[in-house]
Amino acid sequence: IDQTSTAFTGMAFQRMSYLAFANISSIVGAHGLETEYRAKAAHVASEMNARFLDAASGVYHTHGATASNGRNDTQTGQGLALFSHLCPDVPTCARTLQVLAENARGASFLPGACRGSSSLPGCNTARGGAGSHLTAGLFGIKWVLLALADGGMNDLALEMLTSTTFPSFGWMQNNPFANATTIWESWFFSDNTFSHNHPMFSSSEVWLLQSVAGIQPHPSARGMHRVLIKPSPPTQLQFVRASFSTPRGLISVSWARAGDGAPFSLNVSIPPNVRATVHVPTSVLGRVLEGGRGVTGGRRVVGDAGTGSGESLAIEVGSGFFEFLSF
């Protein structure tokens, strides 16, 4: 809905490519190349922050003109900066996260819900409704949702995804013009211009798998030989089941909670020849059980300063099936 400057995204893709190559170089032991490409990435980051970031407010000015909601801090721009760790320090990142959250909450009653047809009644004046919305698109959705997750704002991420007014999947499925049975290419209804069967916005599934269920590749993984199990449960959800097929076997996660004060249960299945770091959400260190016995040797993990992320107990496990209870 809000177009992000290609000057910003172009430099961001360049930097992320440098970082990916540096990580590959590290894994294969080419440390000279790793150093070279991390330096290249740092140079691009410095240029981007100098050009686009207002450090005092945390805003990345990534829209060339006024956006549809009257702002130039697009969701894609803020989400990309947070997801790729572009923002230069923790206080600035915290401000950028708040900018992103305010943008999402302020994306109400946006115009242009129907475009391209003067023959459809109400098309020219169709608008969205109240509530939080996603205005990002093909690339930005994953960055926005995972940035909110990392910042302890998965409740807001779920609210954006389950909205029923434009722009949203709910509006796509139930609107005055044509109820979708497949994902559209555009958030708005388009009459014979954009496709109505297009996986344009399906990167929301990455958030469901990696954040809500918590199945993530470890940064040092080679062929998924190491994984992170790090669920960030939105308070509105009571249970989740998910699995991911890897060359080494199926990784499965399920979690559930009965309500306030009830224990949080997390079941994890890890295939042979895979090690996992399991982050069990908890508020009281030491009140985590596995198979009915107290867990020893875990380490307490607190979310990044200034983000509001919750606490967890990180536990190293090998292959097998594990039943955790957190109180």
Side-chain angles (χ1 to χ4, degrees):
I1 300 299
D2 290 333
Q3 298 296 316
T4 300
S5 164
T6 55
F8 179 81
T9 55
M11 295 178 75
F13 278 123
Q14 181 185 23
R15 174 176 172 267
M16 286 191 286
S17 296
Y18 287 157
L19 289 173
F21 192 72
N23 188 48
I24 293 169
S25 300
S26 174
I27 289 172
V28 302
H31 299 299
L33 283 176
E34 178 190 3
T35 299
E36 177 184 350
Y37 279 88
R38 290 201 187 281
K40 289 178 180 289
H43 176 71
V44 175
S46 178
E47 286 191 341
M48 292 182 71
N49 284 324
R51 181 172 175 181
F52 296 101
L53 172 64
D54 176 9
S57 65
V59 171
Y60 279 85
H61 294 284
T62 54
H63 200 289
T66 301
S68 61
N69 61 351
R71 306 169 63 138
N72 63 10
D73 52 323
T74 66
Q75 289 182 17
T76 292
Q78 316 316 299
L80 190 159
L82 290 162
F83 174 80
S84 67
H85 305 288
L86 173 64
C87 46
D89 50 58
V90 169
T92 304
C93 288
R95 289 192 289 272
T96 304
L97 177 65
Q98 290 303 317
V99 170
L100 175 59
E102 290 169 9
N103 182 301
R105 296 185 180 113
S108 297
F109 300 99
L110 298 181
C114 176
R115 306 181 190 182
S117 177
S118 57
S119 61
L120 292 173
C123 184
N124 293 335
T125 57
R127 300 176 66 86
S132 302
H133 297 85
L134 272 167
T135 59
L138 175 63
F139 297 114
I141 286 175
K142 178 181 78 171
W143 299 330
V144 167
L145 295 176
L146 292 179
L148 290 172
D150 288 344
M153 293 188 177
N154 256 356
D155 281 359
L156 176 58
L158 183 62
E159 183 182 332
M160 295 162 75
L161 274 182
T162 55
S163 172
T164 58
T165 58
F166 168 81
S168 70
F169 291 113
W171 184 87
M172 211 181 276
Q173 292 174 303
N174 185 15
N175 63 82
F177 307 107
N179 296 335
T181 56
T182 51
I183 297 176
W184 294 349
E185 187 180 1
S186 58
W187 285 118
F188 52 86
F189 176 76
S190 168
D191 187 14
N192 297 324
T193 303
F194 294 95
S195 169
H196 286 166
N197 185 3
H198 199 99
M200 193 71 166
F201 306 133
S202 58
S203 62
S204 56
E205 293 186 8
V206 177
W207 173 78
L208 288 168
L209 182 70
Q210 293 194 0
S211 180
V212 178
I215 303 174
Q216 307 174 21
H218 194 280
S220 65
R222 307 183 193 184
M224 294 291 281
H225 83 298
R226 291 190 66 188
V227 296
L228 298 177
I229 306 298
K230 194 175 181 180
S232 299
T235 58
Q236 303 98 317
L237 295 183
Q238 292 183 314
F239 70 92
V240 157
R241 287 193 302 270
S243 60
F244 184 71
S245 182
T246 80
R248 298 169 186 264
L250 190 71
I251 298 170
S252 298
V253 167
S254 65
W255 60 254
R257 57 183 165 203
D260 292 340
F264 177 87
S265 66
L266 173 64
N267 296 334
V268 178
S269 180
I270 304 298
N273 300 313
V274 176
R275 293 201 60 80
T277 303
V278 181
H279 290 250
V280 183
T282 181
S283 57
V284 182
L285 183 64
R287 291 294 292 154
V288 174
L289 307 179
E290 195 288 307
R293 298 182 296 274
V295 171
T296 59
R299 60 184 173 86
R300 179 171 173 265
V301 178
V302 181
D304 293 337
T307 67
S309 299
E311 296 184 6
S312 63
L313 191 67
I315 304 156
E316 301 293 331
V317 302
S319 60
F321 179 74
F322 305 89
E323 296 178 295
F324 296 98
L325 276 180
S326 171
F327 297 86

